[in-house]
Amino acid sequence: MLGSFKVRTPDWILFGFDTVRQVGVEAKRLGAGKVMLLTDPGVVKAGLLDPVYESLKGEGLEYDIFDAVEPEPSIQSLLEASKMAKQGKFDVIAAVGGGSTMDTTKLVAAMMTNEGDIQDFFGVDNVPQRGLPTIMVTTTSGTGSEVTRMAVFTDTEVNLKRVVSAQNILADVAIIDPNMTTSVPQPVTAATGIDAFIHAVEAYVALSASPLTDTICLEAIKLTAENLGPAFANGNDMAARYNMALGSFMAGISLNNAGVGAVHALAYPIGAEYHLSHGLALIVIFAETMRSISISCLPKFRKIAEAMGIDVDGLSPWEAADETVDGMTELARMVGLPTTLSEVEGDQTKIGQWAKAAHGEQRLLGNTPRTLSVEDVAQIFEKSF
Ligand SMILES: [Fe+2]
């Protein structure tokens, strides 16, 4: 692999215990003034805003809070947050939350400087100007949204996921403090953790992968596979939380540079149809999607197995790939996740419709190592029951 590649990251990334206490210093450096904080009720209840308030006050900064970010946010909820942003005199917009909060924050900030309707921003690089400066404080180890240029919204009118992918919504500062993840409920630890693992796997086999992302992905696969169980079993296992935060961050960097593929494309119609969290929508179609594309990159599957600690010595490449996919399923089952569409009461008569929608996600399918027709996609859905 001797190709050229580019690397996209936020300007600053602060990683480690107590980095959340830097939010005030960073906001001041970015020109605050007054900060708009976006969050959700669960984060408020868990007391995770306390160190943020302290840090902002410590720098003499003012702030106001929008605490109604929805899970898997609708376009409507984004517009509400944007309305509040436009009414206040904010200099910096900060997220304290998971992927839904960070995605909302990216577009709220962008809509402060870009004219036009939200519909104009969907797609690739359709945000012409950078928005107000942003700080992303993540409270989950999973989405990687703090370091990506993607934001996903639910279009409730047509039951579809709509994606903004734009360099101009990448955060100015990402803060990844493992302390912020200890109060995450067990099912959320599982669903977000598996999202991180899937980012690492999908970016590793992606057509846009580079030598840099390959190295990061394998380490992220190792970290998430080793630490998801311990973090799930004991939320206060600080080593596991640290390693999940690190794995998720690495997977996010890989996702932002190598991209993801078919698993995310197939998950979008499922998530929108059944109002599943992103991680759940991914994991119910993950195994069969991976089994289907494994034939295109068998040596990479052997490397994934090694990173996961699965012994594939002496197995043929095909057997090794199968064994790897089985190991992925076991990892998900170990943390109580469903791994088939039957378990989320999927409706088989919808397969044709889902296949068409998933196949339309050419940004993702075009980055997948196996070329998948609509029929291939439909077959993966069928096998996932
Ligand atoms: Fe994801």
Side-chain angles (χ1 to χ4, degrees):
M1 206 192 298
L2 303 171
S4 56
F5 59 90
K6 57 184 167 189
V7 182
R8 295 170 282 223
T9 68
D11 281 351
W12 284 91
I13 300 166
L14 281 59
F15 184 93
F17 293 120
D18 293 328
T19 47
V20 68
R21 297 188 187 280
Q22 299 299 309
V23 69
V25 172
E26 292 300 321
K28 201 166 191 176
R29 185 177 65 77
L30 291 171
K34 190 173 175 193
V35 180
M36 178 178 178
L37 291 173
L38 282 89
T39 190
D40 68 58
V43 168
V44 176
K45 205 170 152 208
L48 293 176
L49 287 167
D50 296 349
V52 176
Y53 299 150
E54 261 175 51
S55 175
L56 294 173
K57 282 182 199 156
E59 296 300 318
L61 302 179
E62 284 180 58
Y63 55 85
D64 218 337
I65 304 157
F66 178 87
D67 64 0
V69 173
E70 286 178 352
E72 309 299 315
S74 63
I75 292 171
Q76 192 51 40
S77 78
L78 162 64
L79 295 179
E80 274 168 37
S82 172
K83 197 171 150 200
M84 174 176 157
K86 284 179 177 164
Q87 285 165 351
K89 287 198 162 54
F90 300 108
D91 310 295
V92 172
I93 317 256
V96 184
S100 301
T101 299
M102 294 189 279
D103 287 5
T104 301
T105 302
K106 288 173 188 174
L107 264 292
V108 165
M111 288 162 82
M112 296 298 282
T113 57
N114 289 279
E115 295 293 321
D117 190 81
I118 174 69
Q119 302 289 341
D120 302 334
F121 305 134
F122 292 122
V124 179
D125 279 326
N126 289 329
V127 180
Q129 311 280 339
R130 278 196 70 75
L132 282 190
T134 52
I135 302 176
M136 304 287 157
V137 180
T138 184
T139 59
T140 60
S141 291
T143 68
S145 179
E146 68 278 8
V147 292
T148 74
R149 66 192 189 289
M150 267 73 86
V152 185
F153 298 92
T154 307
D155 189 334
T156 46
E157 275 175 30
V158 286
N159 243 8
L160 279 176
K161 294 286 183 178
R162 306 293 300 274
V163 183
V164 179
S165 170
Q167 184 67 16
N168 280 334
I169 64 169
L170 196 52
D172 289 276
V173 178
I175 297 183
I176 306 151
D177 183 340
N179 280 332
M180 298 293 277
T181 68
T182 55
S183 54
V184 169
Q186 244 188 349
V188 181
T189 297
T192 52
I194 213 72
D195 184 24
F197 173 77
I198 292 173
H199 291 157
V201 171
E202 277 221 285
Y204 183 58
V205 299
L207 292 179
S208 306
S210 73
L212 180 79
T213 56
D214 278 357
T215 306
I216 299 174
C217 284
L218 285 176
E219 186 60 20
I221 290 169
K222 184 173 186 288
L223 283 167
T224 49
E226 271 179 15
N227 291 281
L228 180 57
F232 175 85
N234 175 3
N236 290 314
D237 180 337
M238 297 315 288
R241 290 293 193 186
Y242 183 96
N243 286 327
M244 280 305 294
L246 189 57
S248 160
F249 157 53
M250 287 177 164
I253 294 284
S254 307
L255 151 67
N256 201 41
N257 290 288
V260 284
V263 177
H264 276 72
L266 270 72
Y268 285 149
I270 301 297
E273 178 92 45
Y274 296 111
H275 305 287
L276 296 176
S277 71
H278 176 58
L280 243 59
L282 291 167
I283 194 61
V284 292
I285 49 86
F286 180 56
E288 291 310 322
T289 311
M290 293 319 287
R291 225 181 282 282
S292 161
I293 66 175
S294 62
I295 195 167
S296 59
C297 50
L298 290 165
K300 281 203 160 181
F301 272 70
R302 198 179 279 281
K303 291 270 188 202
I304 294 171
E306 284 165 13
M308 292 179 71
I310 300 170
D311 184 6
V312 288
D313 271 2
L315 296 185
S316 73
W318 310 278
E319 288 167 333
D322 239 15
E323 208 47 34
T324 311
V325 175
D326 289 347
M328 293 168 175
T329 308
E330 278 167 35
L331 173 68
R333 290 208 169 280
M334 184 181 71
V335 295
L337 292 168
T339 55
T340 61
L341 278 166
S342 311
E343 286 164 274
V344 293
E345 290 169 27
D347 174 0
Q348 299 219 27
T349 64
K350 297 268 171 75
I351 286 178
Q353 190 186 316
W354 297 337
K356 214 171 138 208
H359 193 259
E361 298 284 348
Q362 282 299 318
R363 176 182 68 87
L364 298 165
L365 288 194
N367 194 31
T368 302
R370 175 172 178 171
T371 308
L372 296 167
S373 64
V374 182
E375 292 75 27
D376 294 330
V377 173
Q379 209 173 67
I380 296 172
F381 279 125
E382 263 168 47
K383 286 183 176 168
S384 298
F385 272 88

